[in-house]
């Protein structure tokens, strides 16, 4: 069965520091998809990134970067030069290929960026 | 605006009552998913519909039911409500399956008193 673990329940950093959010996943499928979603204080869920299991290239989007390592079943998310607006709950998630392709979410990491 | 519309945004009701939450998916999306977000349980998958048919079921209580109509909108019915059902209920849609990622609605906050 698929499972996503975000061991960090809450992190606080001072603005402009870099921060990495950890995500470890479990799946028996060889084809699967990984996601990160952001939930700001306003409550909506915002899609950040999707990555398939065959693409291990790291990705950078502005201050955001993602490190996917199949060998350790990890898909970590780094925010560089954090800003107060980055304060949110971040969810890592996983879906498997096939008929049952629902997305399973980790419990989230609450990130506080202190001014 | 994500394109996924959920109504109502807020709902306060008493224990034992029944409520219906409504979701209109993004135009062109065939799959609808329902999730429950409570403080201690995170985002829990409830149920998925694809083009009118139930496709996957998660930890959905027997008191809860859902359906997807021919126009692809979906409704989640919660009955015999208990205090513990208080949560944020999200609907999400995708073009086909979850592998494409979801677009989420803004959620319905249900408070049972």
């Amino acid at each position: 069965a698929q499972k996503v673990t975000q061991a960090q329940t809450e992190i606080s950093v001072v603005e402009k520091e870099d921060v990495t959010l950890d995500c470890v996943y479990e799946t028996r499928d060889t084809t699967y998809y990984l996601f990160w979603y952001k939930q700001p204080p306003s409550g909506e869920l915002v899609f950040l990134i999707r990555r398939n299991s065959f693409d291990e290239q790291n990705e950078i989007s502005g201050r955001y970067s993602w490190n996917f390592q199949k060998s350790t079943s990890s898909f970590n998310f780094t925010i560089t030069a954090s800003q107060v607006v980055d304060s949110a709950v971040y969810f890592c998630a996983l879906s498997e290929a096939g008929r049952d392709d629902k997305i399973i979410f980790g419990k989230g990491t609450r990130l506080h960026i202190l001014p | 605006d994500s394109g996924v519309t959920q109504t109502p945004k807020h709902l306060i009701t008493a224990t034992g009552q029944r409520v219906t939450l409504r979701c209109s998916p993004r135009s062109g999306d065939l799959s609808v998913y329902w999730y429950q977000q409570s403080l201690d349980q995170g985002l829990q998958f409830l149920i998925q519909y694809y083009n009118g048919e139930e496709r996957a079921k998660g930890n959905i209580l027997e008191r809860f039911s859902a359906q997807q109509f021919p126009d692809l909108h979906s409704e989640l019915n919660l009955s015999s409500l208990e205090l513990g059902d208080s949560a944020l209920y999200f609907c999400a849609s995708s073009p086909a399956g979850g592998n494409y990622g979801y677009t989420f609605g803004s959620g319905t906050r249900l408070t049972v008193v």
Side-chain angles (χ1 to χ4, degrees), chain A:
Chain A
Q2 59 197 116
K3 184 179 177 182
V4 176
T5 301
Q6 295 180 256
Q8 305 151 308
T9 53
E10 201 158 347
I11 301 174
S12 294
V13 300
V14 176
E15 198 174 17
K16 298 182 184 176
E17 288 185 355
D18 299 346
V19 58
T20 295
L21 309 183
D22 297 333
C23 173
V24 174
Y25 62 91
E26 294 177 30
T27 176
R28 293 178 184 169
D29 277 15
T30 55
T31 303
Y32 52 90
Y33 300 83
L34 296 164
F35 307 86
W36 277 93
Y37 282 83
K38 174 182 179 180
Q39 188 175 38
S42 51
E44 74 272 23
L45 283 155
V46 179
F47 168 83
L48 294 178
I49 189 171
R50 167 185 180 264
R51 176 55 54 87
N52 74 57
S53 53
F54 298 107
D55 182 3
E56 285 193 74
Q57 281 192 343
N58 292 333
E59 178 143 347
I60 298 175
S61 176
R63 296 183 296 105
Y64 294 173
S65 62
W66 291 269
N67 180 272
F68 175 28
Q69 291 196 336
K70 274 175 102 167
S71 60
T72 56
S73 296
S74 65
F75 187 43
N76 297 336
F77 172 32
T78 297
I79 301 175
T80 303
S82 60
Q83 299 177 2
V84 172
V85 293
D86 297 325
S87 297
V89 180
Y90 291 87
F91 292 94
C92 180
L94 164 72
S95 70
E96 296 172 336
R99 181 173 173 82
D100 184 4
D101 56 9
K102 64 182 180 294
I103 297 179
I104 296 300
F105 289 81
K107 290 193 179 293
T109 297
R110 185 176 297 275
L111 177 63
H112 300 278
I113 309 297
L114 308 173

Side-chain angles (χ1 to χ4, degrees), chain A residues 35 37 95-96 98-105, chain B residues 4 6 23 25 29-36 44-50 55-57 66 68 72 74 76 89-105:
Chain A
F35 307 86
Y37 282 83
S95 70
E96 296 172 336
R99 181 173 173 82
D100 184 4
D101 56 9
K102 64 182 180 294
I103 297 179
I104 296 300
F105 289 81
Chain B
V4 178
Q6 285 189 251
C23 169
D29 286 357
L30 299 178
S31 278
V32 170
Y33 305 78
W34 286 97
Y35 283 78
Q36 179 192 56
Q44 295 288 309
F45 169 73
L46 296 178
I47 198 163
Q48 175 198 2
Y49 281 85
Y50 176 78
R55 190 163 182 175
K57 230 172 183 177
Q68 186 180 28
L72 301 178
S74 178
L76 178 67
Y89 291 85
F90 283 104
C91 167
S93 72
S94 74
N99 297 161
Y100 292 87
Y102 297 158
T103 300
F104 278 90

